[in-house]
């Protein structure tokens, strides 16, 4: 109990100065290192909560987001879509050029919740069970992201961000177990546009 009380006392100044909020927007998702397939981007969405603090030029942001992404593919024998649902946790540092404009960059981690493959013709994956499909994917993903954000009025935020994954989408499966439309080198790419609102933003009053 004493340790919990001490911890709360230590973090209370951070919580009191923190800005809480929410954001939501569109995903334009694709994959890189997929030379074996004719892949194209899929449009999805993301939504979630944010908490951050800002002291002058430098700020920090933690987010918890649900993100729907994936890609379309086409090979000589298969066409279809791959739908992927992630829980993402970006950690960003911001450089506040002015109170209206910020540059953001940092690291992120993601956990795969669900995967679904819709294929016109697939070797062992399109009609498989959800469990078997999930067995093909790495549940944990990681990478980095960078973007811009504007704050036109009050707590309103509008921005765009590019996320690059460093982890492989598929597991290192034995020969013959990989779906015919995939490659072990495929990695997620994600471009996001979003809007949201921050609570706790102090407005400067005009001095008389």
């Amino acid at each position: 109990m004493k340790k919990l009380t001490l911890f709360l006392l230590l973090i209370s100044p951070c919580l009191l100065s923190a800005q809480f909020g929410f954001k939501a927007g569109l995903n334009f998702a694709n994959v890189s290192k997929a030379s074996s397939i004719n892949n194209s981007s899929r449009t999805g969405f993301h939504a979630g909560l944010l908490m951050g603090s800002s002291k002058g030029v430098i700020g920090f942001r933690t987010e918890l987001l649900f993100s729907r992404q994936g890609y379309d593919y086409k090979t000589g024998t298969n066409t279809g879509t791959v739908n992927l649902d992630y829980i993402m946790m970006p950690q960003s540092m911001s450089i506040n050029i002015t109170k209206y404009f910020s540059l953001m960059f940092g690291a992120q981690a993601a956990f795969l919740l669900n995967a679904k493959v819709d294929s016109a013709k697939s070797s062992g994956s399109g009609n498989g069970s959800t469990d078997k499909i999930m067995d093909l994917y790495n549940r944990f993903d990681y990478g980095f992201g960078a973007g811009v954000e504007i704050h036109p009025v009050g707590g309103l935020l509008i921005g765009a961000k590019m996320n690059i994954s460093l982890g492989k989408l598929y597991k290192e499966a034995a020969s013959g177990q990989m779906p015919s439309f995939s490659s072990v080198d495929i990695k997620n790419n994600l471009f996001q546009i979003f809007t949201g609102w921050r609570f706790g933003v102090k407005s400067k009053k005009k001095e008389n």
Side-chain angles (χ1 to χ4, degrees), residues 73 81-83 115-119 122 125-127 133 137 170 181:
Y73 65 89
T81 62
V82 176
N83 296 297
K116 183 179 179 182
V117 178
D118 294 321
S119 177
S122 176
S125 60
N127 298 320
I133 292 173
Y137 297 90
Y170 290 95
F181 56 83

Side-chain angles (χ1 to χ4, degrees), residues 72-149:
D72 293 333
Y73 65 89
K74 183 178 181 180
T75 67
T77 57
N78 298 327
T79 58
T81 62
V82 176
N83 296 297
L84 305 170
D85 292 339
Y86 283 93
I87 288 291
M88 301 180 67
M89 191 173 180
Q91 307 287 329
S92 303
M93 183 173 75
S94 63
I95 299 177
N96 305 313
I97 307 301
T98 70
K99 67 177 182 178
Y100 301 108
F101 181 79
S102 298
L103 299 176
M104 306 189 72
F105 57 92
Q108 67 181 28
F111 183 79
L112 181 63
L113 295 176
N114 185 49
K116 183 179 179 182
V117 178
D118 294 321
S119 177
K121 182 180 179 182
S122 176
S123 58
S125 60
N127 298 320
S129 67
T130 301
D131 291 339
K132 289 183 178 180
I133 292 173
M134 288 290 286
D135 287 343
L136 298 173
Y137 297 90
N138 286 309
R139 299 294 182 93
F140 180 74
D141 194 15
Y142 62 95
F144 61 92
V148 297
E149 196 171 274

Side-chain angles (χ1 to χ4, degrees), residues 26-29 41-45 68:
L26 293 176
N27 287 343
F28 300 96
S41 64
R42 284 190 57 72
T43 303
F45 70 92
R68 175 159 292 176

Side-chain angles (χ1 to χ4, degrees), residues 35-51:
S35 58
S36 59
I37 61 174
N38 183 16
N39 60 297
S40 57
S41 64
R42 284 190 57 72
T43 303
F45 70 92
H46 65 278
L49 304 174
L50 59 89
M51 183 181 75

Side-chain angles (χ1 to χ4, degrees), residues 63 90 92 108 145-148 159-163 190-194:
E63 300 176 6
S92 303
Q108 67 181 28
V148 297
K161 187 178 181 183
M162 184 68 191
N163 302 283
L190 182 63
F191 180 74
Q192 299 174 316
I193 57 174
F194 56 86

Side-chain angles (χ1 to χ4, degrees), residues 184-203:
V184 294
D185 294 324
I186 287 179
K187 295 178 174 64
N188 282 311
N189 276 342
L190 182 63
F191 180 74
Q192 299 174 316
I193 57 174
F194 56 86
T195 185
W197 190 270
R198 299 173 300 158
F199 300 96
V201 177
K202 296 180 180 179
S203 60

Side-chain angles (χ1 to χ4, degrees), residues 166-181:
L166 300 178
K168 293 181 179 181
L169 181 58
Y170 290 95
K171 294 179 180 178
E172 297 279 357
S175 177
Q177 292 180 342
M178 289 296 297
S180 60
F181 56 83

